Amino acid sequence: MTRDVAVLGAGMHPWGKWGHSFVEYGTAAARAALADAGVAWGDVGSIVGADTVRGGYPGYVAGATFAKALGWQGARVASVYAACASGAQAIAAARAQILAGLTEVVLVVGADAAPKGFFRPAGGDRPDDPDWLRFRLLGATNPVYFGLYARRRMAVHGDTPEDFALVKVKNAALGALNPYARYRKRVTAEEVAASAVVADPLRLLDICATSDGAAALVLSSVGFAHRHGVRRPVRIRAVSTVTPRFPNTVLDLPDIATDSAVAVEPPGETFRASVARAAYEEAGIGPEDLSLAEVYDLSTALELQWYEDLGLCGAGEGAKLLREGVTAPGGRIPVNPSGGLASFGEAVPAQAIAQVCELAWQLRGTAGDRQVAGARVGITANQGLFGHGSSVVAVR
Amino acid sequence: MPHTRTPAVAGWLDGEGEDFRLLGTRCSSCGSVFFPREDVHCRNPLCAGGALEEVPLSRKGHIWSYTDSHYRPPSPYVSNPELPWEPYALIAVELAAERIVVLGQAAPGVTVAGLAVGMEVEAVPGVLDEDAETARTIWHWRPTGVRA
């Protein structure tokens, strides 16, 4: 019995700062994915929404919000929230329903309308909320954590700010080719170096923006895809959503401290590496099988970290891999052919779905000017607050 | 000047001057240390759970990493919007005895130019914000001048 599910359709609303409701973006992406799949909304058996915490109550019940906007038609509904991994958990929920035989066609939607500037915690006086505490006590914004990781890489691995800038140069050149990206201009290393420092050693152009955007997928059983006339669909083969293991010894958002390793030896791999390993194991593949990867470049330095956590190279070799062009277009394993978060900015619940949209287009061979030649196997990787991470493997 | 000094968060710090300490808790069964404090149940999944006892954390540690904040953080961080924003450094410090990394602001005047991964720092009392009556205290990390 196959454990694959088919990607019948993928759709997005362009990323940007449009000033509209997340519902409008999500509905547009959903209609695009349905059209791409050639499936009528009325034939969808289930809808799973990835929640946003920035849209009030409708954001917490995103599945129902999108179902109502598309027109109530009696589908099963679920809404999930998992910080930056929300979209991947929505895909995981849809996949589980299909593999359990509960339904054959599921629409997955994530959308956000982002604020200007830093993400901030929910309002009120909430000293029992770690996300509130890190802002209240330390003023520790997300870029502060990105800065800590980048500096640590410089100290441990010898990375330089010039290495980090080259990630932006690579991703901006790819984003320039992507009609859904928010930033569609090439960027030079000099421009990165001339941008303002946000959180030393990272500058404005090292750090991803916050964006409006939406992405949607129509997933189905492989049998439905065949009956629908899609002989060789893109298939999702693994969805990893594992949690960290105690003691987690890398300072993670939104925590003020790590776990203590005084009583239990830390696991032999970091949380990020464990997320990727679970995906490889579920898919029965390894890093040597990949044609491309979409990774969560919240900062330029974090993209280099993902190279290592995905096993594309050894620890500390990320910058070398980048400089050798291995992760650039035409390289052995192009990373972020979509342009990445560097070109999109983050629309939290949409982002992990958007990563899979890019895999689908690449594996179908319809990614236009940014097409990775002969793409057969792709992986996504993502990490968010509160112990969330995800990795999706798709094949064709 | 404010009349009273009170911790910005209850139960996390204690003492002044040389006696200043961060407070955590330790599981009496497995020995795991928690900061911020856990008071209800040990989070070690291999531990059946014992009483959690308050313990002072090591005052000195070594820099795991550091950065700074060039833009004004949003609320609930408190800052005076009338005054120009002054960047401050943040330091993540590894405490050897507890095998834990604790993030904190650097003491006033400390900049990233004077920091390095591995450098020894100590926890010192600082002021997070104050009004006419009360200064809310917090921990700051300050280099001891001893190189690793």
Side-chain angles (χ1 to χ4, degrees):
Chain A
M1 180 189 140
T2 178
R3 295 184 59 189
D4 292 352
V5 297
V7 180
L8 277 190
M12 288 189 191
H13 181 288
W15 265 233
K17 282 272 164 127
W18 309 108
H20 302 153
S21 155
F22 80 95
V23 185
E24 183 179 328
Y25 308 140
T27 309
R31 290 189 193 285
L34 289 164
D36 185 46
V39 168
W41 162 232
D43 294 332
V44 169
S46 172
I47 179 166
V48 184
D51 292 349
T52 170
V53 295
R54 280 168 283 278
Y57 210 141
Y60 301 126
V61 292
T65 298
F66 297 132
K68 183 180 180 188
L70 291 165
W72 295 122
Q73 47 82 308
R76 237 177 234 279
V77 65
S79 302
V80 302
Y81 190 70
C84 300
S86 299
Q89 288 204 3
I91 292 167
R95 173 178 179 251
Q97 290 181 0
I98 293 167
L99 293 180
L102 299 176
T103 187
E104 283 211 295
V105 184
V106 186
L107 176 63
V108 177
V109 191
D112 207 2
K116 183 173 160 50
F118 295 118
F119 284 141
R120 60 186 69 193
D125 208 24
R126 294 176 301 108
D128 54 353
D129 173 354
D131 194 47
W132 185 88
L133 281 169
R134 56 135 170 171
F135 281 96
R136 174 68 187 99
L137 299 180
L138 304 178
T141 59
N142 293 2
V144 158
Y145 290 79
F146 308 154
L148 292 171
Y149 304 146
R151 173 60 63 182
R152 179 79 185 164
R153 285 195 63 86
M154 291 170 68
V156 174
H157 300 313
D159 288 6
T160 64
E162 292 73 30
D163 294 326
F164 302 152
L166 288 179
V167 175
K168 177 71 175 187
V169 172
K170 172 181 74 72
N171 289 349
L174 287 158
L177 304 174
N178 191 336
Y180 294 107
R182 175 176 174 188
Y183 301 104
R184 303 205 50 203
K185 264 182 55 187
R186 287 173 164 269
V187 169
T188 65
E190 292 71 29
E191 286 170 319
V192 179
S195 66
V197 174
V198 174
D200 177 88
L202 298 177
R203 296 173 178 275
L204 194 61
L205 293 182
D206 284 302
I207 294 171
C208 93
T210 64
S211 293
D212 299 355
L217 292 166
V218 177
L219 305 181
S220 78
S221 66
V222 173
F224 180 94
H226 289 160
R227 292 199 304 281
H228 191 63
V230 185
R231 195 174 54 83
R232 210 159 62 83
V234 171
R235 298 162 179 242
I236 291 177
R237 185 149 286 175
V239 182
S240 161
T241 57
V242 296
T243 49
R245 278 172 296 161
F246 183 90
N248 188 359
T249 57
V250 177
L251 187 66
D252 268 343
L253 287 146
D255 295 332
I256 285 175
T258 63
D259 292 335
S260 154
V262 77
V264 181
E265 260 320 291
E269 62 188 356
T270 63
F271 171 49
R272 273 188 300 271
S274 74
V275 169
R277 183 178 49 77
Y280 285 134
E281 286 178 4
E282 192 167 283
I285 64 158
E288 65 282 0
D289 298 311
L290 297 175
S291 313
L292 72 142
E294 283 282 314
V295 307
Y296 227 57
D297 56 321
L298 292 163
S299 79
T300 49
L302 270 167
E303 176 164 320
L304 301 182
Q305 187 69 49
W306 277 117
Y307 296 174
E308 299 164 22
D309 294 329
L310 284 176
L312 307 183
C313 61
E317 295 173 351
K320 180 165 170 279
L321 205 68
L322 173 76
R323 284 190 177 274
E324 290 172 349
V326 174
T327 59
R332 174 168 57 79
I333 166 76
V335 175
N336 282 333
S338 69
L341 272 60
S343 303
F344 276 74
E346 191 184 18
V348 175
Q351 213 67 44
I353 299 172
Q355 290 183 312
V356 177
C357 288
E358 179 69 11
L359 292 194
W361 293 324
Q362 291 285 350
L363 295 173
R364 282 182 194 166
T366 59
D369 294 337
R370 48 181 213 290
Q371 180 64 46
V372 175
R376 285 290 172 265
V377 181
I379 194 168
T380 72
N382 146 290
Q383 188 185 10
L385 273 66
F386 289 100
H388 289 108
S390 73
S391 179
V392 176
V393 174
V395 302
R396 182 154 184 259
Chain B
M1 284 293 287
H3 302 296
T4 57
R5 289 168 68 86
T6 183
V9 57
W12 286 27
L13 34 123
D14 190 34
E16 291 286 348
E18 289 292 304
D19 296 326
F20 179 77
R21 287 290 192 283
L22 285 170
L23 298 178
T25 56
R26 183 169 54 211
C27 173
S28 58
S29 177
C30 75
S32 288
V33 174
F34 298 101
F35 181 84
R37 55 190 300 147
E38 291 288 344
D39 286 297
V40 179
H41 205 278
C42 177
R43 286 195 291 104
N44 172 3
L46 306 174
C47 176
L52 289 154
E53 298 155 347
E54 184 172 286
V55 285
L57 301 189
S58 302
R59 202 160 59 87
K60 292 180 181 177
H62 293 93
I63 295 181
W64 181 82
S65 192
Y66 59 94
T67 185
D68 58 11
S69 196
H70 281 252
Y71 290 82
R72 189 188 302 274
S75 170
Y77 191 72
V78 177
S79 67
N80 185 346
E82 309 280 309
L83 299 178
W85 176 247
E86 292 291 337
Y88 60 88
L90 292 110
I91 309 178
V93 178
E94 198 162 13
L95 305 180
E98 293 83 359
R99 295 187 72 184
I100 192 171
V101 173
V102 178
L103 183 61
Q105 290 188 0
V110 174
T111 67
V112 292
L115 299 176
V117 170
M119 182 183 277
E120 187 183 75
V121 295
E122 61 185 334
V124 295
V127 172
L128 179 62
D129 62 272
E130 57 193 340
D131 53 33
E133 290 86 36
T134 308
R136 275 166 290 274
T137 57
I138 193 80
W139 71 97
H140 283 158
W141 294 116
R142 186 175 68 191
T144 60
V146 179
R147 299 301 292 240

